[in-house]
Amino acid sequence: MSESSLIIDCDPGVDDGVALLLAFASPELDILGVTTVAGNVSAALTARNARVIRHIARRPDVPVLAGCQRPLVRPPVEAGHFHGETGLGDLSLDPVADDGECRHAVDFLVSTLMERPAGTIDVVVTGPFTNLAMAMVREPEIIARVRRVVVMGGARREGGNITASAEYNIFADPHAAQIVFGSGAAIVVHGLDATHQVRATEARIAAIEALDGASARACATLLRFSRRIEAEQVRGLDAPLHDPCPIAWLLAPELFETVPCEIQVETASPLTLGHTAVEFRLADPAAATIHWVTAADGQGVFDLITERLAT
Ligand code: BDR
Ligand code: CA
């Protein structure tokens, strides 16, 4: 178990919601803030959804900061078909008070990384990379100050999930992803090759449904929704659980295997826009700053979520 201060940058999103519930239930994570971005649903909805999850988890101590309202260059592309109209599937959304927080997510990323000691903050990204890319452009010094960037995004062996070539978070803002992957920051990447190994089987959801408490109930509702949508739209396989993987890696890195790599993002071809070219053939693997997750222990990740939501 590792101690970590972190900022979670996300676009809730059903699986972002599960990631937040896992993080909020993990006392060893010092969550400095949750920043949100336009992605699965609009920027207004992702910020609202993060506040809803924070309310369920009873973590009013964590600020939620709304961020960029559209990708850097390309037009927005949402994924409501996988997350429902609200972005949180079938979860009933009790009204949450507007807490008056008006700092912008990009300002928060820059000021927090500049004010805290260098090398002490991890940034987890589970949505399009727009906020972090903007922060890196605005203040390049944050690149050397961030401890690790831990992202969900990209695909190599598995191919794409929004097009044949591209995974959604990268497709939604490929120019931002190229800035982040080209930055030189230390990055751990949970692409579809990893997250497709972490699937919400009937038995794994039932184990969470058997728990008491608002966070466990919300988690089970989100997972049931994903399972139903996956069955309707993809057919044949249990729903993959993407966004909790980076949080699980922070909590239990032994559940994952990584390989050093370099990553370039396709930003020019309309056919393969957002494709991640993940190169393992490196002249000096020890000097690599990016690590690609090749294997994930799906049962281990679900056991971790279940254990955390039980307490
Ligand atoms: C990613 O895309 C989004 O729809 C999910 O929330 C996840 O971050 C998976 O490709
Ligand atoms: Ca997401």
Side-chain angles (χ1 to χ4, degrees):
M1 235 182 270
S2 57
E3 292 270 333
S4 179
S5 289
L6 75 157
I7 298 170
I8 304 172
D9 186 55
C10 56
D11 64 335
V14 167
D15 56 333
D16 306 77
V18 176
L20 289 173
L21 289 169
L22 171 62
F24 284 144
S26 296
E28 69 270 56
L29 296 183
D30 172 29
I31 308 172
L32 303 175
V34 173
T35 54
T36 57
V37 67
N40 288 320
V41 287
S42 71
L45 287 181
T46 58
R48 188 275 314 262
N49 291 348
R51 292 202 304 271
V52 166
I53 299 290
R54 175 183 65 176
H55 178 73
I56 291 168
R58 298 195 187 159
R59 291 297 305 270
D61 54 301
V62 178
V64 170
L65 307 103
C68 295
Q69 306 207 18
R70 49 155 295 157
L72 295 187
V73 177
R74 63 156 305 153
V77 42
E78 296 187 357
H81 50 297
F82 269 104
H83 299 269
E85 221 171 283
T86 68
L88 289 180
D90 294 329
L91 201 64
S92 67
L93 306 180
D94 294 337
V96 281
D98 182 346
D99 56 10
E101 176 62 72
C102 52
R103 288 172 293 174
H104 193 279
V106 174
D107 294 339
F108 180 79
L109 281 160
V110 170
S111 60
T112 309
L113 285 161
M114 293 304 288
E115 282 161 15
R116 296 256 174 166
T120 61
I121 299 177
D122 293 319
V123 176
V124 167
V125 184
T126 64
F129 295 8
T130 320
N131 285 338
L132 183 57
M134 283 284 280
M136 286 176 165
V137 169
R138 174 144 174 217
E139 180 46 87
E141 279 189 34
I142 67 168
I143 294 165
R145 299 182 69 84
V146 68
R147 182 177 176 213
R148 297 165 302 196
V149 176
V150 192
V151 302
M152 191 283 131
R156 185 178 185 273
R157 187 190 60 230
E158 289 290 294
N161 63 354
I162 181 107
T163 67
S165 319
E167 180 280 328
Y168 171 79
N169 286 341
I170 309 298
F171 183 75
D173 197 339
H175 302 88
Q178 178 62 16
I179 288 171
V180 171
F181 286 136
S183 67
I187 308 177
V188 177
V189 189
H190 296 253
L192 298 181
D193 298 5
T195 65
H196 281 183
Q197 299 175 40
V198 183
R199 290 187 181 265
T201 64
E202 182 56 42
R204 290 169 178 172
I205 299 178
I208 295 170
E209 273 169 342
L211 303 173
D212 285 329
S215 290
R217 274 196 300 280
C219 181
T221 302
L222 294 169
L223 293 171
R224 278 263 164 248
F225 177 85
S226 282
R227 190 167 161 79
R228 194 183 82 232
I229 295 298
E230 190 80 8
E232 282 169 15
Q233 300 201 13
V234 184
R235 293 189 184 89
L237 286 172
D238 298 310
L241 189 59
H242 307 287
D243 291 344
C245 288
I247 302 290
W249 181 83
L250 287 174
L251 294 167
E254 66 278 8
L255 298 176
F256 301 89
E257 288 171 23
T258 62
V259 171
C261 70
E262 286 170 3
I263 300 180
Q264 299 289 330
V265 180
E266 177 57 65
T267 55
S269 155
L271 180 63
T272 58
L273 186 69
H275 172 72
T276 40
V278 183
E279 180 58 87
F280 291 156
R281 293 163 296 186
L282 307 181
D284 182 7
T289 56
I290 306 181
H291 287 79
W292 181 256
V293 181
T294 52
D297 173 352
Q299 187 58 47
V301 171
F302 269 87
D303 287 346
L304 180 67
I305 295 170
T306 309
E307 177 231 309
R308 292 309 163 97
L309 296 183
T311 50

